[in-house]
Amino acid sequence: VPSEGGVLVRNLYLSVDPAQRGWASDRSNYLQPVAPGSVMRGLAVGIVVESLAPSIAVGSIVYGFFGWQDFAIAEADEILNCESHPELPVSAYGSILGITGLTAFLALEKLAHLGSGQTVLVTSAAGAVGSIVGQLARKAGCRTIGLAGDEHKLRLCTESFGYDVAVNYKAGPVGAALEAAVPEGIDVFFDNVGGPILDEALRRMRIGGRVIQCGTAATQNWDPAPRGPRAEREILTRRLTWSGFVIFDHRADFARAAAALSAAIRKGELRYLEDIESGIQCAPQALSNVYAGRNKGKKLIYIGQAV
Amino acid sequence: VPSEGGVLVRNLYLSVDPAQRGWASDRSNYLQPVAPGSVMRGLAVGIVVESLAPSIAVGSIVYGFFGWQDFAIAEADEILNCESHPELPVSAYGSILGITGLTAFLALEKLAHLGSGQTVLVTSAAGAVGSIVGQLARKAGCRTIGLAGDEHKLRLCTESFGYDVAVNYKAGPVGAALEAAVPEGIDVFFDNVGGPILDEALRRMRIGGRVIQCGTAATQNWDPAPRGPRAEREILTRRLTWSGFVIFDHRADFARAAAALSAAIRKGELRYLEDIESGIQCAPQALSNVYAGRNKGKKLIYIGQAV
């Protein structure tokens, strides 16, 4: 039975997100660690079966922190999206309208200060965030360079995701590859991975460039923190602004951003891919695969009846 | 003979600034390296003896890139301050009204987003920049913590420069000292040094904190860049904004900032120290001393007749 303002949700799609690896570690990062034996924290798309929330009708599709479970009691603050989007499939609440699409849209809007003719470099360029970043940056008149780790993803970058150039960061030294791909330097580095690619990119930023840190997927273990070349001289002499972006700080902007993303899809300006498996048994391995970059779009686990 | 728009200046005070160490290295940073055998690039305060600049009268006190020499032909773009400040001594053009005072004022104004009750940590806290930062942050209602390397400077910090607490970073492990001095975490880290102190401070920043990189005095050799613990996870999980500040990007703001600093001095709200030696022969050692933190205020070299 939900409490006042909450709902009972039947989950339909579980969202599999790289951040869950951090949530399941025994060190807190920006959220408390998930306790062993408790339900795995996670986002999901579900249908409301009971509602004590005045603005949410039974039958509504909702998206939020419902956990990796069939049914969830969701408090008001655990619901991230309860707007109606009948123009898109239900799974879209967990992909392009979910945190990955929202991260691409809002991190660019708030931190990139994109200008026409600027150069934007993106890591995990074919991923659920990077694929949207490339298209939005291209639409803003930027030159877009995507880094990815296999030929299939490189093709996706240039054929589907708005990248002018796609670079295989595994094919050789990253520094030399960037030197060739962005001889003019980088205005905006949208980074989902950190590590050695970040080191090389920082040293090729243009004066006044922006570095947006959205993830650190290249490093699996932060205890102790691995070492790398010091960054402060690059920050100073290039007058960089290096910012961290966590989507959950920006909930007040979700409805507006989702509406803008949906409109762009309907105008044919934006593509998104989903990579859907079926059944809760797939979830743990799916998380490991997502962290290793083996998904082919936003990873969702279908556990409900289609509605 | 000056060219159209320029002036001939008799230098009175040469400014000695840590950045000159970088300018004199054979690697460019944000300016081209000084060529061996040419006049050392440097700021100075002088008096105009010939003028082809319509707005600058003979006899005016000016401040700019006049070099380490007795007389300088200065082009219009080399003059940083030609406003009249008869309310302050001539040397003030090179200290509180010069790049160190301006850096403190403008870096705080543009990057710190100070709020009352916030905690501000400053390195080189008794230096020409840090001493002004402490006072301005205190005036904005912040809790101010200064790091310095000897007892004389620590006393200056708390007795003269607006610091609530002064910490001797040489007295033991910096991490433990910060843990004790800023248990609440840091909202703004105004950093003039980089290196291991920066590493410890980054790991004690509060969510949404701002790191302002104004110098990297802790590291003398950047070729190759020394290594340190990776920063990207701190940037991300703490949602930091780490920015580089170079004062010469902000020339349009100099006159306004200098007027505000002068007004604060006349109201008795702001103190500044100068450490003046006499004669060009003192200049090279003075630069080395400034870089090592052995000055007791803004270092100037007097080479003119008092006016």
Side-chain angles (χ1 to χ4, degrees):
Chain A
V1 179
S3 56
E4 202 53 44
V7 294
L8 176 62
V9 177
R10 167 81 176 93
N11 279 338
L12 302 173
Y13 292 93
L14 306 181
S15 178
V16 181
D17 295 287
Q20 289 177 293
R21 189 183 183 285
W23 302 344
S25 113
D26 59 359
R27 291 168 61 101
S28 69
N29 39 61
Y30 55 94
L31 294 172
Q32 284 301 305
V34 175
S38 62
V39 173
M40 179 60 197
R41 181 186 298 141
L43 292 158
V45 180
I47 183 165
V48 173
V49 293
E50 262 189 72
S51 176
L52 290 177
S55 62
I56 306 179
V58 168
S60 300
I61 301 298
V62 290
Y63 170 71
F65 278 104
F66 307 148
W68 279 3
Q69 55 188 340
D70 289 311
F71 287 88
I73 295 290
E75 310 290 337
D77 70 352
E78 293 170 320
I79 302 169
L80 299 179
N81 187 1
C82 60
E83 307 282 321
S84 178
H85 286 286
E87 74 282 7
L88 295 179
V90 167
S91 58
Y93 282 74
S95 58
I96 183 66
L97 304 180
I99 58 166
T100 50
L102 295 171
T103 292
F105 185 93
L106 289 170
L108 281 179
E109 179 183 86
K110 288 170 185 269
L111 299 175
H113 310 297
L114 292 181
S116 180
Q118 295 192 333
T119 294
V120 178
L121 178 73
V122 184
T123 50
S124 298
V129 175
S131 61
I132 309 302
V133 171
Q135 295 175 80
L136 294 176
R138 180 69 161 294
K139 202 175 143 191
C142 297
R143 181 166 181 259
T144 49
I145 293 89
L147 296 183
D150 67 49
E151 292 305 316
H152 172 71
K153 290 176 179 172
L154 295 173
R155 251 195 330 276
L156 276 175
C157 282
T158 51
E159 291 175 6
S160 301
F161 296 147
Y163 287 97
D164 292 302
V165 177
V167 175
N168 188 339
Y169 69 87
K170 293 180 177 167
V174 174
L178 289 181
E179 204 66 53
V182 287
E184 76 277 25
I186 304 159
D187 294 295
V188 173
F189 179 38
F190 196 111
D191 187 24
N192 295 297
V193 304
I197 294 175
L198 170 65
D199 301 334
E200 293 292 344
L202 279 179
R203 283 154 179 81
R204 287 169 178 80
M205 296 298 295
R206 300 181 72 176
I207 301 288
R210 288 78 70 196
V211 179
I212 303 172
Q213 200 70 48
C214 263
T216 59
T219 302
Q220 302 240 357
N221 184 358
W222 284 97
D223 188 16
R227 296 173 76 81
R230 306 196 65 87
E232 62 263 34
R233 186 172 184 277
E234 306 303 325
I235 305 292
L236 174 59
T237 60
R238 298 172 193 274
R239 287 83 119 186
L240 305 182
T241 301
W242 184 5
S243 307
F245 185 87
V246 172
I247 186 64
F248 304 113
D249 297 339
H250 302 278
R251 290 174 58 155
D253 299 298
F254 283 6
R256 177 181 59 82
L261 289 163
S262 175
I265 294 163
R266 281 175 289 156
K267 279 196 264 179
E269 295 175 352
L270 195 60
R271 291 179 184 199
Y272 64 101
L273 289 187
E274 296 170 344
D275 179 347
I276 303 179
E277 292 183 78
S278 187
I280 185 72
Q281 72 285 350
C282 305
Q285 184 60 45
L287 177 54
S288 170
N289 287 347
V290 162
Y291 209 79
R294 288 190 288 264
N295 52 310
K296 308 294 184 199
K298 176 69 186 88
K299 175 65 78 176
L300 298 170
I301 308 286
Y302 179 66
I303 61 162
Q305 286 284 79
V307 290
Chain B
V1 179
S3 55
E4 203 52 43
V7 295
L8 175 63
V9 178
R10 167 81 174 94
N11 279 339
L12 302 173
Y13 292 94
L14 307 181
S15 178
V16 181
D17 295 287
Q20 289 177 293
R21 189 184 182 285
W23 302 344
S25 110
D26 60 359
R27 291 168 61 101
S28 68
N29 39 63
Y30 54 93
L31 294 172
Q32 284 302 304
V34 175
S38 61
V39 173
M40 180 60 197
R41 181 188 297 141
L43 291 158
V45 181
I47 183 165
V48 173
V49 293
E50 261 188 73
S51 176
L52 290 179
S55 62
I56 306 179
V58 169
S60 299
I61 301 297
V62 290
Y63 169 70
F65 278 105
F66 308 148
W68 278 4
Q69 54 188 339
D70 289 309
F71 287 88
I73 294 291
E75 311 288 337
D77 69 351
E78 292 168 321
I79 303 168
L80 298 179
N81 187 0
C82 58
E83 307 282 320
S84 176
H85 286 285
E87 74 281 8
L88 295 180
V90 167
S91 59
Y93 283 73
S95 59
I96 183 64
L97 304 181
I99 59 166
T100 52
L102 295 171
T103 292
F105 185 92
L106 290 170
L108 282 179
E109 178 184 88
K110 289 171 183 271
L111 299 175
H113 311 296
L114 292 181
S116 180
Q118 296 192 331
T119 293
V120 178
L121 178 72
V122 183
T123 51
S124 298
V129 175
S131 61
I132 308 302
V133 171
Q135 295 175 79
L136 294 176
R138 180 69 160 295
K139 202 176 145 193
C142 296
R143 179 164 183 265
T144 48
I145 293 92
L147 296 184
D150 67 50
E151 292 307 315
H152 172 71
K153 290 178 181 173
L154 294 174
R155 253 197 328 278
L156 276 175
C157 282
T158 51
E159 291 174 6
S160 302
F161 296 147
Y163 287 96
D164 293 300
V165 178
V167 175
N168 188 339
Y169 69 88
K170 292 179 177 168
V174 174
L178 289 181
E179 205 65 52
V182 286
E184 75 277 25
I186 304 158
D187 293 296
V188 174
F189 178 38
F190 196 112
D191 186 26
N192 295 298
V193 304
I197 295 175
L198 169 66
D199 300 335
E200 293 292 344
L202 279 180
R203 282 153 181 81
R204 287 167 178 83
M205 297 299 294
R206 300 182 73 177
I207 300 286
R210 286 79 68 198
V211 179
I212 302 173
Q213 200 70 49
C214 264
T216 59
T219 301
Q220 302 239 0
N221 184 357
W222 285 97
D223 189 16
R227 297 171 77 81
R230 305 196 66 86
E232 62 262 34
R233 187 173 184 277
E234 306 304 325
I235 305 292
L236 174 60
T237 61
R238 299 174 192 272
R239 285 83 118 190
L240 305 181
T241 301
W242 185 5
S243 306
F245 186 86
V246 171
I247 187 62
F248 304 112
D249 296 339
H250 302 278
R251 291 175 59 156
D253 299 298
F254 283 5
R256 177 180 59 81
L261 289 162
S262 175
I265 293 162
R266 279 174 292 157
K267 278 194 265 179
E269 295 175 351
L270 195 59
R271 291 178 185 203
Y272 65 100
L273 289 187
E274 295 170 346
D275 180 348
I276 302 180
E277 291 183 78
S278 187
I280 184 70
Q281 73 285 352
C282 305
Q285 185 61 45
L287 176 54
S288 171
N289 288 347
V290 163
Y291 209 79
R294 288 190 288 263
N295 52 310
K296 308 293 185 199
K298 176 68 187 86
K299 176 64 81 177
L300 298 171
I301 307 287
Y302 179 66
I303 60 162
Q305 285 285 76
V307 289

